[in-house]
Amino acid sequence: MGGREMTLEEVNCCACAKIPLLPGHPCQRARRQADKLRMRGTRSWKLSLEPFTPFSAVRAIFILFLFCVFVHPHSSIGLLLTPDPGFERNMALVSADSRIAELLGELHQLIKQTQEERSRSEHNLVNIQKTHERMQTENKISPYYRTKLRGLYTTAKADAEAECNILRKDLDKIAEIKSLLEERRIAAKIAGLYNDSEPPRKTMRRGVLMTLLQQSAMTLPLWIGKPGEKPPPLCGAIPASSDYVAKPGDKVAARVKAVDGDEQWILAEAVSYNHATNKYEVDDIDEEGKERHTLSRRRIIPLPQWKANPETDPEALFQKDQLVLALYPQTTCFYRALIHTPPQRPQDDYSVLFEDTSYADGYSPPLNVAQRYVVACKETKKK
């Protein structure tokens, strides 16, 4: 090919002079000539370089790309093209925050609709009350009042069903938000990111942990089924189905070996489940994230995910004198106990009698334990 002459200064300024070149590259020949002249101590050189073409420019850019990705991955281009797990986790957290904000906006609109529906139905309820007052004043039930009340009650029933449907949507939206918050907490835990309201477990004081456990029990959703609908598994005393697998972040009762060799039931958090070995990995809630146990399914009892309503679903509660495992107050360990009194209202706790040999009858005085932390005892024989 025809060529032009190029000084050493021009060669040094060439972008190709600072990157590795593939064999046969025109700049490589020029560089070898320049190196020979440098060794001779010559200060004036004339080098032969192929003329610039679009193809040579593309080839140089491609070589630079290969160098950044494979030879020097920590370069700016290499970092840009190499997947960063931390960056992906941060983006997932940002996406979760955005979705939570969106759901909160939808929940706000549903709450407004609930209030509007309630205000509209109140007018009809007032009319029913006034109609009954007129009937009492006249001391008779005329066909007119009978027809009027039938229409008013039909409207009131429809209004109540409409309000109930909106309330169910509210509850579903709250459940979705809580699920996303839990997923975000787990993702932040994996990424090592925490905010002020969720400090790392290694710095969590025991008093803070006890407060969080109480809040978890108080905010456990109440199961509200449709007419004739039975409570699902993990509602109150109803156990999980045989094929149920606890999700990461779910709280469970786990039977582990203590330091002294004895076995005890502890409050733990599910980390993962291996379907090949049928074993869980769980973290001890009270071990500040330092203790992880690998346990078989029979050593795990999932905790309730809904509270049972004593007024509508009493069969979903443990009954008096039934043997259970209950979380002892201000601890993270489950102990055998007898139900002393089941909850009478949705917000009530169980009253239980813990097995305790220091008392004459072998049981402690009645202590309150939330539905969240009472599960069926697999051991029926008294120790």
Side-chain angles (χ1 to χ4, degrees):
M1 293 180 63
R4 66 178 180 83
E5 294 185 351
M6 184 176 182
T7 64
L8 180 61
E9 288 76 8
E10 290 175 318
V11 173
N12 289 334
C13 292
C14 179
C16 297
K18 297 183 181 180
I19 62 173
L21 302 177
L22 297 177
H25 193 278
C27 294
Q28 192 178 57
R29 294 195 299 272
R31 188 180 296 174
R32 283 200 297 268
Q33 295 180 38
D35 291 340
K36 291 179 181 179
L37 291 174
R38 286 195 190 93
M39 293 177 64
R40 297 175 185 173
T42 309
R43 295 193 58 83
S44 178
W45 307 276
K46 290 188 177 180
L47 305 176
S48 176
L49 187 67
E50 293 183 4
F52 173 82
T53 64
F55 176 76
S56 62
V58 172
R59 185 164 55 179
I61 294 172
F62 177 69
I63 293 170
L64 178 63
F65 170 84
L66 294 177
F67 169 73
C68 291
V69 175
F70 298 105
V71 181
H72 199 338
H74 296 293
S75 64
S76 58
I77 298 179
L79 290 174
L80 180 63
L81 298 174
T82 303
D84 183 3
F87 175 77
E88 292 177 358
R89 285 194 295 265
N90 291 343
M91 290 302 296
L93 293 175
V94 171
S95 176
D97 289 341
S98 175
R99 178 57 180 160
I100 290 170
E102 180 182 343
L103 289 173
L104 287 172
E106 294 175 5
L107 178 60
H108 180 255
Q109 293 301 320
L110 284 173
I111 293 174
K112 288 175 62 177
Q113 292 179 24
T114 304
Q115 186 58 44
E116 292 171 359
E117 186 66 34
R118 181 167 298 178
S119 299
R120 188 173 65 84
S121 63
E122 284 179 355
H123 177 70
N124 190 62
L125 295 176
V126 170
N127 286 338
I128 292 176
Q129 183 179 359
K130 289 181 177 180
T131 302
H132 277 287
E133 290 175 354
R134 293 194 192 99
M135 289 170 55
Q136 291 176 354
T137 302
E138 298 179 7
N139 197 21
K140 66 176 181 178
I141 304 177
S142 64
Y144 167 77
Y145 286 128
R146 186 178 288 110
T147 303
K148 182 176 182 180
L149 282 175
R150 185 181 292 111
L152 290 174
Y153 276 114
T154 301
T155 303
K157 182 176 180 291
D159 291 344
E161 290 175 348
E163 183 178 345
C164 183
N165 290 333
I166 298 176
L167 287 172
R168 291 185 187 281
K169 292 180 181 178
D170 292 342
L171 293 174
D172 291 341
K173 200 69 66 177
I174 291 172
E176 188 175 356
I177 292 171
K178 289 183 67 176
S179 177
L180 279 174
L181 287 172
E182 181 64 14
E183 291 177 6
R184 189 195 182 286
R185 183 188 68 82
I186 296 172
K189 174 184 172 183
I190 295 174
L193 302 174
Y194 297 87
N195 55 37
D196 294 337
S197 62
E198 298 174 349
R201 290 174 63 185
K202 63 181 181 180
T203 63
M204 187 182 296
R205 297 188 300 273
R206 188 171 185 80
V208 176
L209 176 60
M210 294 298 108
T211 300
L212 291 177
L213 296 181
Q214 292 175 2
Q215 291 176 351
S216 176
M218 292 175 60
T219 58
L220 189 68
L222 179 70
W223 169 256
I224 303 176
K226 297 179 180 179
E229 185 178 9
K230 293 183 178 180
L234 294 180
C235 174
I238 302 177
S241 58
S242 59
D243 59 348
Y244 177 80
V245 175
K247 300 184 294 296
D250 283 357
K251 302 300 184 293
V252 298
R255 189 175 185 179
V256 301
K257 282 189 176 181
V259 179
D260 56 5
D262 292 337
E263 292 191 338
Q264 61 181 359
W265 288 93
I266 65 169
L267 179 61
E269 181 179 289
V271 176
S272 63
Y273 179 75
N274 189 325
H275 289 273
T277 61
N278 289 329
K279 289 186 176 182
Y280 282 98
E281 279 196 343
V282 299
D283 283 341
D284 186 344
I285 286 291
D286 202 25
E287 288 294 332
E288 300 179 347
K290 299 176 183 178
E291 190 75 15
R292 181 162 291 182
H293 305 274
T294 302
L295 305 170
S296 61
R297 289 177 65 110
R298 62 186 178 85
R299 289 179 171 267
I300 297 294
I301 303 177
L303 297 190
Q305 295 184 355
W306 295 277
K307 285 188 288 188
N309 189 343
E311 299 171 353
T312 58
D313 305 299
E315 72 282 0
L317 293 167
F318 293 108
Q319 302 304 311
K320 182 177 175 61
D321 295 330
Q322 193 168 349
L323 183 63
V324 297
L325 287 173
L327 194 71
Y328 197 88
Q330 298 302 310
T331 74
T332 58
C333 292
F334 291 84
Y335 296 98
R336 293 158 57 94
L338 290 179
I339 298 296
H340 179 61
T341 306
Q344 302 300 311
R345 298 173 299 174
Q347 66 271 25
D348 290 347
D349 296 334
Y350 284 101
S351 176
V352 303
L353 308 173
F354 285 98
E355 291 183 357
D356 192 335
T357 56
S358 63
Y359 292 91
D361 60 355
Y363 293 97
S364 70
L367 294 172
N368 290 338
V369 181
Q371 285 195 48
R372 171 72 161 166
Y373 303 120
V374 179
V375 295
C377 183
K378 295 184 176 181
E379 307 163 354
T380 58
K381 193 174 180 180
K382 184 174 180 180
K383 295 183 180 179

